[in-house]
Amino acid sequence: MFAPGFAPRRVVVTGMGIASPLGLGVEHVWKRLINGESGISAIQSFDVKDLPAKIAGQVPHGSKAEHGLDLNEWIPVKEQKKMARFIHLAWVAAAEAIEDSGWAPEDEEGRRATGVMIGSGIGGLETIQEAGALVANGRTRRLSPFFIPSALVNLASGQVSIRYGFKGPNHSAVTACATGVHAIGDAARLIALGDADVMVAGGAEAAICELGIGGFCAARALSTGFNDRPQAASRPWDRDRDGFVMGEGAGVLVLEEYEHARRRGAKIYAEVIGYGMSGDAHHITAPAEDGDGGYRAMKAALRSAGLSPADVQYVNAHGTSTPMGDDIELAAVERLWGDAAKGLAMSSTKSATGHLLGAAGAVEGIFSILAVRDGVAPPTLNLENPSRESPIDRVAKTAQERPIRVALSNSFGFGGTNASVIFRGAP
Amino acid sequence: MSETADKVKKIVVEHLGVEEAKVTPEASFIDDLGADSLDTVELVMAFEEAFGVEIPDDAAEKIQTVKDAIEFIEKQQASA
């Protein structure tokens, strides 16, 4: 598959974009995150009276100036209806990331060397719900010709490639809540192996609809005890946590081969230095109790980076605020870091954003990069009474200034899929 | 302009996101108004919904301009 003497190439991050419950725009969202603000609120877009979970992390409506989302400012009206909401969010985050990177290939060679890998955990769920209602009401013939291309997961990558003319690898990760990390890691490997020079990579999710909330409620995964106090509902590691809070949004990174970025004088945020994956082979929704899946993903990422645990100063945890998952991940990190756990900071930014499912890994990857850039560990909100003690500093409630040179971000998904990615400051 | 023509024009403007002035009777959905094949399928469905008529696939294929649409719908309405 590779020529003799082949050596993988270095990959750096040159652009970032976020649409999230904390608003639109990387710097705006980061500032709110560091300030300890929450993006969780009551669901307004549909009637929740039959649903036990009534809150979510929703991308705020508003103008660009307000860091909110007004689709008419971003996507031609005629095109909007051809995309489910997760693609709208991917489009917005990709636009920010691509503009931020300054990469606008002017020739065919440059366009062919630029690919897209934006995944989603579920895809156009609300669109599927609406189409299903037509079928249930005997109106199957009224299905829109745009229904399928609007709902398909890989159409986020497809739409972004069409808009910008990027003709390189066009791919999508679909690994539930591990999607975002898989997209970053796999896209970085495509660059490292020479399939592309630039990849627009990330994840997008918009599953806040009756089908999404109802489905995760049925699986007993969502918080239901804090409907009257939405901002207190996502509380990773806290003894009163009772499930995750659904979030929506998108995170997109422009990944680029190091020399390519250097030659064009691009601003470099960080280098992607490690990536590891594993499977639990245990249960469809529950993590294995020994945490071995997460442990092996992190270990594989460290191995690929050529680092030992003590070289990592910050972990952005999967930490969804579920009774089981949080402490299992904590134990896996403690086991891997050993004596170095004392010096480690680990926080869950899902405490502020909710769980963005397939977008989580991408948005949290960006947070990890900014933690390295600014030397700040973002807080774990609502961590008032940890369900157990740990030598690891979980950055309870308030952000901390810390020397962070290397950060690792975890994402674990249904089906027992685990992925970890490691970033280091700009070379 | 007939009521039907007015309504057709409005639907075309809304679905294809084009300026009203461009929606002349002779305008071709694909060549003049920027529609692709899926847009025209959706447009025909919108006509069916708005006018309560059925437009079979073979007839839909012949509806290529604004005038084609108006004439087809008026004929359907007259025979109903």
Side-chain angles (χ1 to χ4, degrees):
Chain A
M1 197 158 166
F2 302 109
F6 171 82
R9 308 189 298 171
R10 295 173 73 178
V11 180
V12 294
V13 179
T14 56
M16 306 193 293
I18 289 184
S20 82
L22 289 169
L24 265 56
V26 168
E27 299 301 337
H28 171 76
V29 170
W30 177 239
K31 203 170 126 203
R32 293 194 67 198
L33 186 72
I34 294 307
N35 285 344
E37 296 176 50
S38 166
I40 315 294
S41 60
I43 293 171
Q44 305 287 355
S45 51
F46 57 91
D47 188 351
V48 291
K49 74 173 183 324
D50 291 335
L51 295 165
K54 303 179 193 301
I55 57 172
Q58 301 156 99
V59 173
H61 186 80
S63 68
K64 271 186 194 179
E66 299 164 322
H67 301 282
L69 176 59
D70 175 356
L71 277 184
N72 294 337
E73 289 183 327
W74 294 89
I75 308 174
V77 175
K78 177 174 165 244
E79 302 303 315
Q80 288 174 19
K81 64 184 178 206
K82 303 180 182 179
M83 310 170 195
R85 183 168 169 85
F86 82 102
I87 304 179
H88 295 154
L89 299 176
W91 178 294
V92 166
E96 183 189 1
I98 293 164
E99 191 187 331
D100 182 39
S101 76
W103 175 238
E106 277 164 15
D107 57 13
E108 189 67 3
E109 195 189 340
R111 287 189 284 271
R112 288 181 182 171
T114 305
V116 187
M117 180 156 5
I118 300 173
S120 180
I122 306 184
L125 196 62
E126 190 174 0
T127 301
I128 292 170
Q129 174 178 304
E130 287 162 5
L134 286 177
V135 174
N137 291 323
R139 291 162 54 81
T140 307
R141 282 199 64 234
R142 297 257 76 91
L143 283 171
S144 160
F146 303 118
F147 163 54
I148 296 290
S150 172
L152 286 178
V153 165
N154 73 299
L155 262 285
S157 292
Q159 289 282 12
V160 168
S161 74
I162 292 164
R163 181 183 181 197
Y164 293 96
F166 296 156
K167 297 183 176 177
N170 200 268
H171 206 329
S172 274
V174 187
T175 47
C177 307
T179 296
V181 169
H182 277 129
I184 294 170
D186 288 354
R189 291 222 166 136
L190 290 183
I191 295 171
L193 298 181
D195 295 278
D197 292 333
V198 181
M199 289 293 295
V200 178
E205 201 76 67
I208 303 174
C209 59
E210 290 91 327
L211 211 48
I213 299 288
F216 278 103
C217 275
R220 301 294 183 269
L222 296 185
S223 168
T224 56
F226 294 87
N227 289 328
D228 54 341
R229 287 190 294 148
Q231 301 200 339
S234 188
R235 40 196 319 117
W237 300 299
D238 187 82
R239 69 174 182 209
D240 296 324
R241 68 187 184 272
D242 71 337
F244 78 79
V245 176
M246 174 100 77
E248 63 172 2
V252 173
L253 298 86
V254 175
L255 306 180
E256 190 164 349
E257 193 265 322
Y258 174 48
E259 294 299 336
H260 188 277
R262 228 175 44 138
R263 272 200 308 274
R264 69 181 185 90
K267 154 184 84 237
I268 296 175
Y269 286 101
E271 181 172 4
V272 184
I273 58 168
Y275 176 43
M277 297 162 275
S278 75
D280 280 354
H282 171 68
H283 187 266
I284 51 174
T285 61
E289 277 176 46
D290 60 8
D292 198 53
Y295 177 89
R296 286 182 290 111
M298 290 185 275
K299 198 167 178 184
L302 286 164
R303 191 185 55 221
S304 79
L307 297 179
S308 61
D311 298 320
V312 178
Q313 293 82 32
Y314 173 69
V315 171
N316 188 296
H318 184 57
T320 58
S321 187
T322 56
M324 266 185 90
D326 292 5
D327 282 345
I328 291 175
E329 181 183 16
L330 178 62
V333 174
E334 286 172 351
R335 176 156 75 100
L336 184 54
W337 261 256
D339 290 340
K342 299 190 289 293
L344 183 66
M346 172 163 78
S347 62
S348 170
T349 47
K350 289 187 179 77
S351 58
T353 61
H355 185 358
L356 273 57
L357 309 181
V363 168
E364 290 159 19
I366 293 171
F367 293 158
S368 301
I369 290 165
L370 295 171
V372 172
R373 183 192 72 178
D374 294 351
V376 175
T380 305
L381 304 185
N382 303 311
L383 178 50
E384 279 155 11
N385 301 292
S387 53
R388 72 173 185 77
E389 293 305 314
S390 170
I392 296 168
D393 190 326
R394 282 167 285 173
V395 201
K397 300 204 277 194
T398 313
Q400 295 176 9
E401 285 188 23
R402 303 176 74 107
I404 301 172
R405 293 179 304 282
V406 176
L408 177 147
S409 187
N410 278 334
S411 283
F412 311 141
F414 278 4
T417 174
N418 313 294
S420 305
V421 62
I422 302 178
F423 303 98
R424 182 169 58 200
Chain B
M1 201 183 279
S2 73
E3 199 182 311
T4 301
D6 252 0
K7 212 158 147 189
V8 164
K9 204 167 158 180
K10 227 173 121 189
I11 291 168
V12 172
V13 167
E14 194 179 302
H15 281 261
L16 299 182
V18 290
E19 287 164 39
E20 211 177 317
K22 284 191 173 167
V23 189
T24 59
E26 288 74 30
S28 152
F29 298 125
I30 290 180
D31 296 335
D32 302 317
L33 301 177
D36 64 20
S37 61
L38 291 183
D39 289 320
T40 59
V41 173
E42 201 208 23
L43 205 50
V44 165
M45 286 175 58
F47 294 147
E48 289 183 318
E49 191 85 5
F51 294 100
V53 297
E54 212 169 288
I55 308 178
D57 283 354
D58 53 345
E61 276 168 31
K62 292 185 193 116
I63 299 178
Q64 297 188 355
T65 64
V66 176
K67 198 169 105 200
D68 292 343
I70 296 166
E71 282 177 3
F72 182 89
I73 291 161
E74 284 179 339
K75 211 159 63 187
Q76 290 284 103
Q77 287 172 330
S79 65

